[in-house]
Amino acid sequence: MKKLILHSTLALVLTGAVFSQPNGGPGGPPGGDPCKTERQTYCKDSRPGPETDRCLKEYISKLSETCKNHVNEMISRFEKFRSACAADEEKYCKNVERGPAHMKCMRENESKLSASCKAALPPPPGHRM
C-alpha cells in the first residue's frame, strides 16, 4: 500500500501536476519540462502520468543530468511533504483518493495544517517559484 501511494504521488510530482518546475530544460523556457526530450525519446508510447514516470525511472541511467536532477529534486520535495504532512493528511484528507483531489483537499484545509506541513506544501500548479 505504501508503495502504491508513493508511486501515485510520485507520478503527479514528475508530471508537474503537483509541483511547479523552477528551471527550464536545456533550451527551454523557465518553468518548461526539463525531461521533455527524455519523455519523447524513451517514453513516447507511454501514457502521460504514472506510466510515463515508470518509464523515466526505467531509463534513469540514460537521462540527461538536467532531467536526473529534476527527478531527484521532485522526489526529495515529495518525501519532505509526505514526512511533514503525514498526520495532517490522516486528519483532514484520509478518505480522499490520491492525486489532484487529494492535493485539493490539502489546499482547502491549509489554514488548519501544521506549520511544518504548510511549509512543505507545494505551490499551486502554474505558480512560479
Side-chain angles (χ1 to χ4, degrees), residues 20-73:
S20 64
Q21 299 172 352
N23 300 315
D33 181 359
C35 296
K36 182 178 180 178
T37 300
E38 289 84 346
R39 287 180 207 282
Q40 292 171 344
T41 301
Y42 303 114
C43 306
K44 65 179 178 249
D45 294 328
S46 300
R47 289 181 296 176
E51 191 175 313
T52 299
D53 297 329
R54 279 191 293 276
C55 175
L56 282 177
K57 288 193 304 189
E58 236 178 80
Y59 288 96
I60 194 82
S61 65
K62 296 182 179 186
L63 303 180
S64 68
E65 285 305 307
T66 303
C67 182
K68 278 184 200 177
N69 290 340
H70 174 72
V71 169
N72 288 330
E73 179 184 336

